[in-house]
Amino acid sequence: MGKILVTAYLLFSSIIAFADKPDTVVINNNQSTLLTNRYFYELEDTNANLTINNVLNKEFYVIKNTLPTFKYTKSTTWLKFNIKNDSTAPFITISIAASVIDEFDLYYIDNTTTNIRHLVPDNAHNDQVTQNIMFINCPVLPGTSNTIYLRIKSSAPNVIPIKVYGTYAFLKSRNIENITTGVIIGVFIVMALYNLLLFFIVGDRSYIYYVCYILFFGLSQVLKRGYGGNLFTTDKTILNNYIIPLVRVLFGYSILLFISEFLQLKQNLKRWYKYYLLLYAIYSILLVAVLCGMVVTAYNLITISTCITSVSLLIIGAHLYFGNGFKPAKFFMLGWGIFLISILISVASNRGFIPYNNLTTEIVVYSSVLELILFSAALAEKINFYRFQKNESQNFALAVAKENERLITQQNILLENKVRERTNELIATNKNLSVSIDNLMSTQKQLIDNEKMASLGQLTAGVAHEINNPINFVSSNIAPLRLDFDELFVLLNKYDDALNNPEQSSLLSILNNYKQKIDINFIKEEITILLNGIEEGANRTAEIVNSLRAFSSTDEQILKTTDINKSILNNLLILRSTIPYYIEIKPVFDKLEPLHCYPGKINQLIINLINNSIYAIKAREHHSDESVMIITKDYADHISIEITDTGIGMSDETKQRIFEPFFTTKSIGEGTGLGLSIVFGIIEKHRGNIEVISSPGNGATFIVTLPKNLA
């Protein structure tokens, strides 16, 4: 009984094997055959590490799909089939679409030598007519047959359309393909140029986004047909792993931008528009996958994002047309619906869900041409829509204008009477206003003079303090200096007594005793020290007087040449007594040429800015590392003075108003609000500029720019 079952199993297996045995591909001169599962066995090489010697010992199997297909994890596939040459040519052409195929080569056993032959695509060094397709001319003598082993490698999930041609059939097929591709490219170029022209005429951004959409869509179709080597690079890895998916990402972005602008989604979707932005996020994730080299993931995401985007845009178009009555969405919905169906058919064909044939292969191209026509009609409809809106708005504006004209006529009569009344009132008011303006100008001049006097009073107190120190230094040295001179005079008198009375030896003894008592060397040193101190006090007093002389000319109207660095130092000398001990003054001066300016005005400007910085620092509750940095810089046509403090800073609102007259942040009685207004007037008089950089709690920087060519 067991032997009978074994025999029956072997017999059944033989029948199944015989039934599944593929046919031989027979090719004549004008024939081409698509390599389906009727003709080949398949061997999956997931790790891509099998060689032809390994493959010869492996068991191939028959697949259920009509065409060989790369699944989501498969990287390399081996196909085994028999081929018979019934043509007159000594070889048969085996071709595969070049798009997204990384490697394609062929092995066969030479019938004459029994050696294994390896062939690679012939078009690697061929003319441009056949560079868009990978093909191999396999030597098979007429009337003979051979077993062929094909190795195909790709990282993208897709079907593998392989065709076997006779010589004449291959050349004819290539010519038709090139003509078809040329026509398609021509259509895309014409549509792009036409809409680009409309963009320059109409100015609607929809057209420029539509041009981008056409260009990237056309480019993706050209790459799909295998023309990437002509446009970008012959390196299949770079082309398939980066350029092709990157173009599809850009194509997706162009679709989203065009639809958003064309359908006015920001206005029509309103609160739902943020969900539309998620489509951008999907393509951004896809872009990251491409740039990170995640090829399989990228191609899978391309399929997913294409389906999601297509369905989402169709729903949006239907909502705008049926829900909001947005007429331009009608042609868009029709064109996009056709395009969506073609994409779904193409994706299903590429995944092996429906038969792969010429119609399913080219359906996206055919539908895209129809879609371009419908989209162009949609854009034209949008222009009509805008024209209708414009006409309505013009008619409404005309009606409003007529009504306004009527009302204006009535109002003019009333206004003329009121104008007469108001004119008489204004004449009387102008008289009073002139008096008020004169009073105001007088008051303003008085306030400015008061500001000057206040600054002068502050400076006077400081100068008195500064002069008092060196004067005290001089006066304190006079008393000990007089004592030293008195002792020297006494010593000289004793010398005279000793010289005049040589016979009295006691006088010499008294002289020597007194000399030792007063310590003549100490007196010499003390006199020198006291005289140096008096000289230093006198010099400091002279410096203060010179600084006051420079500051005293605040009302001069004559341009003079002034050393800006020296002016700053003089003003610092005057202000030294008003600067608290915890504030460090840090001058950093560039080498400046003498500047033509109004020296007194510049001194007043420097005094006011430094005083403001000191006040801002004093206003802080706690003091630590406080400083005022004064920097001068020399440029080709101007100089700059930068005064930076560590004070309390100011807000943007305060910065906008600090140069307004009478505006102040100081307490009542501490300032008139005219200091920075005067500074601004001085800078305008010098045709310069001032910039303020500050924020609350971070101090302030005043940058004054003065031209060199004021003369």
Side-chain angles (χ1 to χ4, degrees):
M1 184 64 180
K3 293 181 178 180
I4 294 173
L5 292 175
V6 172
T7 303
Y9 172 76
L10 293 174
L11 179 61
F12 179 75
S13 299
S14 299
I15 292 172
I16 295 299
F18 179 76
D20 291 341
K21 183 177 180 181
D23 296 337
T24 298
V25 181
V26 180
I27 296 298
N28 57 39
N29 287 330
N30 297 313
Q31 182 182 4
S32 65
T33 300
L34 183 65
L35 196 64
T36 65
N37 60 353
R38 172 184 171 188
Y39 300 107
F40 67 85
Y41 290 108
E42 183 179 82
L43 176 64
E44 184 177 339
D45 181 11
T46 305
N47 297 322
N49 57 5
L50 296 179
T51 64
I52 184 60
N53 292 325
N54 302 133
V55 167
L56 291 175
N57 299 322
K58 293 285 185 178
E59 181 178 353
F60 284 73
Y61 49 86
V62 177
I63 64 172
K64 294 181 180 180
N65 293 334
T66 303
L67 297 179
T69 306
F70 281 113
K71 300 297 182 182
Y72 295 100
T73 58
K74 187 187 299 184
S75 62
T76 302
T77 274
W78 288 82
L79 301 181
K80 174 184 176 182
F81 60 94
N82 293 323
I83 190 169
K84 182 179 180 182
N85 185 3
D86 276 357
S87 70
T88 57
F91 58 85
I92 289 176
T93 301
I94 302 173
S95 72
I96 185 170
S99 175
V100 203
I101 300 299
D102 298 330
E103 295 180 16
F104 175 59
D105 49 8
L106 178 149
Y107 298 87
Y108 72 96
I109 299 175
D110 193 333
N111 292 329
T112 58
T113 63
T114 68
N115 292 329
I116 298 174
R117 301 294 184 185
H118 178 213
L119 298 177
V120 295
D122 293 350
N123 54 314
H125 305 287
N126 211 317
D127 56 34
Q128 293 185 356
V129 177
T130 55
Q131 278 190 351
N132 64 309
I133 188 169
M134 302 175 73
F135 70 95
I136 299 175
N137 289 324
C138 180
V140 180
L141 295 177
T144 65
S145 60
N146 206 338
T147 300
I148 306 299
Y149 294 87
L150 289 181
R151 187 179 72 93
I152 309 111
K153 182 178 181 181
S154 175
S155 298
N158 209 340
V159 296
I160 309 171
I162 301 172
K163 278 193 174 183
V164 183
Y165 294 88
T167 304
Y168 303 112
F170 177 69
L171 295 176
K172 181 180 178 181
S173 172
R174 297 319 309 144
N175 289 331
I176 294 174
E177 174 68 18
N178 289 330
I179 292 172
T180 304
T181 302
V183 171
I184 293 172
I185 293 174
V187 170
F188 279 102
I189 291 175
V190 169
M191 294 300 295
L193 293 177
Y194 169 72
N195 285 279
L196 185 62
L197 179 62
L198 288 179
F199 168 72
F200 288 114
I201 295 174
V202 179
D204 189 344
R205 286 186 299 181
S206 299
Y207 287 97
I208 196 64
Y209 291 147
Y210 188 43
V211 170
C212 295
Y213 165 75
I214 294 172
L215 291 178
F216 286 119
F217 183 49
L219 186 58
S220 65
Q221 292 302 311
V222 169
L223 291 174
K224 180 181 178 182
R225 290 175 174 270
Y227 287 89
N230 304 65
L231 297 175
F232 297 102
T233 176
T234 57
D235 189 327
K236 284 291 181 182
T237 301
I238 295 177
L239 186 65
N240 295 334
N241 293 357
Y242 294 98
I243 295 178
I244 291 177
L246 184 60
V247 168
R248 294 185 183 178
V249 172
L250 296 176
F251 172 56
Y253 280 131
S254 66
I255 291 175
L256 297 178
L257 289 172
F258 166 62
I259 300 304
S260 176
E261 185 67 25
F262 172 68
L263 297 181
Q264 301 177 9
L265 297 185
K266 284 186 178 180
Q267 294 78 20
N268 293 329
L269 285 183
K270 295 181 180 177
R271 61 177 181 173
W272 301 106
Y273 181 74
K274 58 185 178 181
Y275 297 105
Y276 180 78
L277 298 178
L278 293 177
L279 297 177
Y280 288 99
I282 293 174
Y283 280 97
S284 298
I285 294 172
L286 174 55
L287 178 62
V288 172
V290 173
L291 297 179
C292 293
M294 303 165 64
V295 182
V296 176
T297 302
Y299 276 103
N300 291 332
L301 286 175
I302 287 174
T303 302
I304 296 172
S305 59
T306 301
C307 295
I308 293 175
T309 302
S310 300
V311 174
S312 299
L313 295 182
L314 187 61
I315 294 173
I316 289 172
H319 169 71
L320 293 180
Y321 180 66
F322 295 108
N324 297 359
F326 189 65
K327 293 183 178 180
K330 175 178 63 177
F331 288 104
F332 162 76
M333 188 173 59
L334 181 59
W336 191 255
I338 294 173
F339 184 60
L340 171 60
I341 293 172
S342 68
I343 288 178
L344 295 177
I345 293 174
S346 177
V347 171
S349 173
N350 289 337
R351 295 296 180 268
F353 300 137
I354 62 175
Y356 183 95
N357 51 44
N358 290 333
L359 176 61
T360 58
T361 302
E362 303 294 342
I363 191 169
V364 173
V365 177
Y366 301 147
S367 66
S368 66
V369 174
L370 180 58
E371 180 201 27
L372 292 179
I373 296 173
L374 291 173
F375 276 6
S376 297
L379 288 170
E381 177 69 17
K382 187 178 180 183
I383 294 176
N384 294 331
F385 180 72
Y386 286 156
R387 185 181 293 114
F388 175 75
Q389 286 186 329
K390 183 178 180 182
N391 290 335
E392 283 191 339
S393 63
Q394 286 178 344
N395 293 333
F396 178 75
L398 181 60
V400 170
K402 290 181 178 179
E403 180 65 18
N404 288 337
E405 183 179 2
R406 184 183 66 82
L407 294 174
I408 289 172
T409 302
Q410 294 178 351
Q411 291 295 325
N412 283 340
I413 298 173
L414 297 174
L415 286 175
E416 287 179 359
N417 296 328
K418 290 186 177 181
V419 165
R420 292 190 188 95
E421 297 175 2
R422 291 295 297 166
T423 301
N424 295 330
E425 294 177 1
L426 287 173
I427 291 173
T429 303
N430 284 338
K431 293 180 180 179
N432 297 329
L433 184 61
S434 298
V435 175
S436 298
I437 290 175
D438 292 339
N439 294 335
L440 181 62
M441 292 180 64
S442 176
T443 303
Q444 183 178 4
K445 185 177 183 302
Q446 185 177 358
L447 286 172
I448 293 174
D449 291 339
N450 289 342
E451 174 69 17
K452 293 181 180 179
M453 293 303 295
S455 299
L456 185 60
Q458 181 183 4
L459 294 177
T460 301
V463 169
H465 181 274
E466 286 296 317
I467 292 179
N468 188 52
N469 287 336
I471 292 299
N472 288 338
F473 199 41
V474 171
S475 61
S476 64
N477 286 353
I478 290 176
L481 183 62
R482 179 178 286 109
L483 291 176
D484 289 338
F485 278 121
D486 288 344
E487 290 179 345
L488 289 177
F489 290 152
V490 171
L491 180 63
L492 289 176
N493 291 333
K494 292 185 180 297
Y495 268 110
D496 288 340
D497 292 341
L499 289 175
N500 294 329
N501 302 290
E503 70 280 0
Q504 296 181 14
S505 58
S506 60
L507 293 177
L508 290 175
S509 175
I510 293 172
L511 174 63
N512 289 328
N513 291 335
Y514 186 76
K515 184 177 179 180
Q516 291 177 0
K517 177 182 177 182
I518 63 175
D519 193 356
I520 191 64
N521 292 328
F522 173 77
I523 291 176
K524 290 179 181 180
E525 292 177 0
E526 186 177 35
I527 290 174
T528 302
I529 292 171
L530 294 173
L531 288 175
N532 289 339
I534 293 172
E535 182 179 12
E536 182 180 354
N539 289 337
R540 286 180 60 185
T541 303
E543 288 179 2
I544 296 171
V545 171
N546 289 334
S547 299
L548 283 173
R549 185 181 295 113
F551 182 76
S552 63
S553 56
T554 56
D555 292 324
E556 289 183 356
Q557 301 298 322
I558 301 174
L559 288 172
K560 292 183 179 180
T561 301
T562 300
D563 186 337
I564 296 298
N565 291 339
K566 187 174 180 181
S567 296
I568 295 173
L569 292 176
N570 288 337
N571 286 295
L572 287 175
L573 183 63
I574 294 173
L575 292 172
R576 183 165 57 184
S577 65
T578 65
I579 301 174
Y581 68 93
Y582 52 79
I583 299 178
E584 180 182 1
I585 305 298
K586 299 178 179 179
V588 180
F589 294 155
D590 199 354
K591 185 176 182 181
L592 303 179
E593 297 179 0
L595 183 72
H596 286 280
C597 62
Y598 300 100
K601 299 293 185 184
I602 295 298
N603 287 329
Q604 189 175 6
L605 178 149
I606 294 169
I607 288 287
N608 282 343
L609 291 180
I610 295 176
N611 268 333
N612 279 350
S613 294
I614 294 172
Y615 178 84
I617 295 174
K618 287 180 178 180
R620 294 179 68 94
E621 294 182 1
H622 304 285
H623 300 102
S624 175
D625 298 328
E626 308 292 3
S627 65
V628 177
M629 179 172 286
I630 307 172
I631 302 174
T632 61
K633 295 181 181 179
D634 185 38
Y635 297 95
D637 59 348
H638 66 278
I639 69 163
S640 70
I641 304 171
E642 298 181 14
I643 299 178
T644 302
D645 62 66
T646 58
I648 58 175
M650 65 187 83
S651 63
D652 291 337
E653 292 78 10
T654 302
K655 282 194 294 184
Q656 297 295 326
R657 301 190 60 193
I658 56 174
F659 297 112
E660 294 179 9
F662 310 111
F663 175 79
T664 181
T665 58
K666 297 178 181 179
S667 301
I668 297 175
E670 292 189 6
T672 62
L674 292 174
L676 288 179
S677 176
I678 294 172
V679 167
F680 190 79
I682 294 172
I683 293 172
E684 281 191 327
K685 187 177 181 66
H686 285 81
R687 297 200 298 272
N689 296 300
I690 183 168
E691 179 184 0
V692 183
I693 303 171
S694 181
S695 60
N698 295 319
T701 298
F702 288 80
I703 304 175
V704 178
T705 302
L706 300 173
K708 292 182 177 180
N709 58 348
L710 187 61

